[in-house]
Amino acid sequence: MMRKTTSQNSLKHIPQRTCLACREVKDKSQLVRLVHLADGQTEIDITGKKKGRGAYLCRVKPCWETGLKKKTLLEHNLRTVLTPDNLEQLINAGKKIYLEGRDG
Ligand SMILES: [Zn+2]
């Protein structure tokens, strides 16, 4: 008797997420999560474990620029409205991420 082993392999399942800006599907670990917290603030969630609505962006400058320019899209994904201050915080935090994320 043969047992079906189809997609049931023992490899760890890697969650896939879509980048808000370029729409590419990547491993979650390759993306940066933005989270809309219960207190109304939106921030970068490095651990990816904070509670709240999330949106994802690649660790590259073009995606951050596009993603944060598409404010309404970001707001739609996070189900919130971003204040100008909050948006600026995200832009500044994003700069650190994609600058540090560069190899070399
Ligand atoms: Zn992207």
Side-chain angles (χ1 to χ4, degrees), residues 19 21-24 26 57-58 60 63:
C19 169
C22 66
R23 314 296 302 163
E24 264 186 62
K26 298 190 173 188
L57 286 170
C58 303
V60 294
C63 287

Side-chain angles (χ1 to χ4, degrees), residues 3-97:
R3 265 200 156 177
K4 264 195 183 172
T5 48
T6 47
S7 57
Q8 274 282 5
N9 58 32
S10 55
L11 286 173
K12 234 201 229 169
H13 177 69
I14 301 166
Q16 304 267 294
R17 294 289 183 269
T18 309
C19 169
L20 188 75
C22 66
R23 314 296 302 163
E24 264 186 62
V25 179
K26 298 190 173 188
D27 292 352
K28 200 178 160 190
S29 61
Q30 290 185 283
L31 298 165
V32 180
R33 185 172 187 248
L34 301 172
V35 63
H36 174 217
L37 299 168
D39 68 3
Q41 278 288 107
T42 297
E43 62 177 48
I44 288 168
D45 177 13
I46 301 288
T47 61
K49 285 174 184 164
K50 289 185 182 170
K51 262 197 167 179
R53 287 286 305 180
Y56 294 83
L57 286 170
C58 303
R59 292 171 188 268
V60 294
K61 191 178 175 184
C63 287
W64 279 87
E65 288 186 339
T66 309
L68 294 173
K69 254 183 229 161
K70 291 181 181 178
K71 188 168 161 277
T72 47
L73 182 66
L74 186 60
E75 288 175 340
H76 177 79
N77 272 268
L78 295 168
R79 306 264 166 89
T80 185
V81 176
L82 294 169
T83 62
D85 276 359
N86 203 166
L87 189 65
E88 207 178 301
Q89 281 170 17
L90 293 176
I91 291 168
N92 288 329
K95 276 179 194 162
K96 278 184 206 158
I97 286 187

